[in-house]
Amino acid sequence: MADHLILLAPSANRVYASEANRLVAAELKIMLGADDRPAIEPVSLAGIKYLALATESLDERVCHALGRLSGCYAAFRREHDRLEPIQLTAPDLFDDDLVTIPKYAGKTNEQFTRLLINVTLASMRRAANGPISILDPMCGRGTTLSTAMMLGCNASGVELEAKAVEAYAAYLTTYWRRKRLKHTLDVTPVRREGKIIGKRLEAEVIPAGREEPLALTVFSGDTRQSAALFGKRRFDAVVADAPYGVVHGSHTDVRGASGKRDRSAAGLISQALPVWAGQLKTGGALGLSWNAIGLKRDQLIAHIAAAGLAPLDFGPYRDFEHRVDSSIRRDIVVAIKP
């Protein structure tokens, strides 16, 4: 019997690469859903890691999922000892150097960022009219925002540090000019009662081969004020990579039960979740990654439910916890806005 093998993309992060087989398998299971999904199992062939799909043929739905999968490098049809390459089409509207060029402390692995977005969007219970809108309320220097735009989404974000917003704006300006893409980009002050309280980045870019632009909006400010910054705007998805807590305690005024700074970022997340939930459209999805050492999964699930969202806490949704380093075990939780 013939089946199909998915060759995983290489990763510069050795620790992540050791877990990628399992993580990408869970990602693909969620993207394909439960109906008529082929069995997906990690395998090793001649010392090389693959994902095996127990199916005679790949239909359009599966090919579409493989094209946008975070860890798919190539796909093959296997019959006996013969591997036949399968043509896949990636949906990416920009070259991958949009997200790989920036290097800075604390940057999340690009493959994981794509996985987080894929899992969140695959869980939505609503059909978007036009490009999907994604909010990253802890956007840093824009890895999630750039990945969202690569996948054809309109992206919005909130970042505490105004300098990070300025750095992201400078990078996009240079990148889009170098790629000769038609775009507009402005960074303007945000004023309240005559005082400058932050920065606002507004941009539009037309990807090569397209006529309609993608939109980008980023505010500098506190994530707990995200709803005030965006007003009545609502989003199809909220995707956030929460602070892992290693240095976060020195940057927040959120206090734990002892009255000391909350180095786990649990306090910040619990306060921000109701704000983010209110910014979701009905049927939209929240995807959040966090350090499970500082905040247990069942505690976070309780916070999410208290914010009025419905957590998806079963099957492959529970297969994403993995080691980043000795002080970080990263996990993902996904929830739906009823």
Side-chain angles (χ1 to χ4, degrees):
M1 174 182 175
D3 62 357
H4 289 79
L5 298 180
I6 309 305
L7 177 63
L8 298 182
S11 174
N13 187 312
R14 179 185 58 81
V15 176
Y16 186 83
S18 68
E19 300 269 21
N21 215 328
R22 175 177 61 85
L23 299 175
V24 175
E27 174 192 8
L28 184 56
K29 289 175 183 177
I30 292 171
M31 292 175 69
L32 294 181
D35 297 335
D36 300 322
R37 181 180 67 206
I40 303 168
E41 298 293 342
V43 298
S44 182
L45 184 63
I48 304 297
K49 293 181 178 180
Y50 297 86
L51 290 179
L53 278 67
T55 178
E56 286 276 356
S57 61
L58 301 181
D59 59 24
E60 182 177 353
R61 177 178 62 100
V62 176
C63 287
H64 174 77
L66 294 180
R68 64 180 291 139
L69 196 66
S70 67
C72 183
Y73 188 68
F76 303 90
R77 185 175 188 271
R78 176 174 66 168
E79 190 163 8
H80 304 298
D81 294 330
R82 182 171 177 265
L83 298 183
E84 177 185 354
I86 301 294
Q87 179 70 46
L88 298 176
T89 302
D92 299 37
L93 300 181
F94 303 95
D95 297 332
D96 61 4
D97 59 358
L98 175 62
V99 296
T100 58
I101 287 176
K103 306 293 182 186
Y104 51 88
K107 182 183 179 184
T108 302
N109 180 295
E110 300 93 350
Q111 290 181 8
F112 176 78
T113 298
R114 189 176 180 114
L115 180 151
L116 177 60
I117 292 176
N118 281 338
V119 168
T120 305
L121 298 189
S123 303
M124 288 170 47
R125 301 294 189 264
R126 59 174 287 107
N129 295 320
I132 291 173
S133 58
I134 291 181
L135 169 67
D136 179 358
M138 296 178 164
C139 67
R141 289 176 59 177
T143 300
T144 298
L145 303 180
S146 293
T147 304
M149 289 191 291
M150 285 180 63
L151 295 172
C153 303
N154 289 327
S156 299
V158 178
E159 166 52 34
L160 182 62
E161 301 293 337
K163 289 184 178 179
V165 177
E166 293 169 351
Y168 186 44
Y171 169 68
L172 289 179
T173 298
T174 301
Y175 181 88
W176 289 338
R177 285 176 178 171
R178 182 166 59 84
K179 296 289 184 175
R180 298 183 179 180
L181 297 175
K182 186 176 180 180
H183 68 278
T184 61
L185 188 151
D186 292 297
V187 178
T188 56
V190 177
R191 291 182 171 86
R192 294 289 187 274
E193 299 178 354
K195 296 181 180 180
I196 297 176
I197 62 170
K199 299 288 183 70
R200 175 181 178 139
L201 162 61
E202 285 279 6
E204 285 191 344
V205 59
I206 301 178
R210 285 175 54 116
E211 297 181 358
E212 296 298 321
L214 293 175
L216 171 70
T217 304
V218 184
F219 284 100
S220 66
D222 191 321
T223 187
R224 293 167 291 188
Q225 300 300 316
S226 180
L229 292 170
F230 283 98
K232 295 182 179 180
R233 285 183 62 180
R234 297 295 180 266
F235 302 90
D236 297 304
V238 172
V239 179
D241 187 21
Y244 296 149
V246 178
V247 297
H248 183 71
S250 62
H251 295 285
T252 181
D253 60 357
V254 176
R255 304 283 171 165
S258 66
K260 298 180 180 180
R261 293 191 184 277
D262 186 354
R263 302 193 70 88
S264 71
L268 178 63
I269 292 173
S270 64
Q271 291 183 15
L273 274 168
V275 179
W276 303 340
Q279 293 183 274
L280 272 174
K281 297 177 182 178
T282 300
L286 165 77
L288 178 65
S289 66
W290 86 103
N291 183 6
I293 292 178
L295 177 60
K296 299 304 181 185
R297 185 179 183 89
D298 58 351
Q299 295 174 314
L300 181 55
I301 291 289
H303 287 312
I304 290 173
L309 302 179
L312 303 177
D313 193 35
F314 54 85
Y317 287 100
R318 296 186 62 89
D319 291 340
F320 290 113
E321 184 176 340
H322 61 284
R323 176 180 175 271
V324 175
D325 59 32
S326 60
S327 60
I328 299 171
R329 286 200 64 82
R330 185 165 53 196
D331 201 354
I332 291 176
V333 66
V334 178
I336 303 299
K337 176 74 170 287

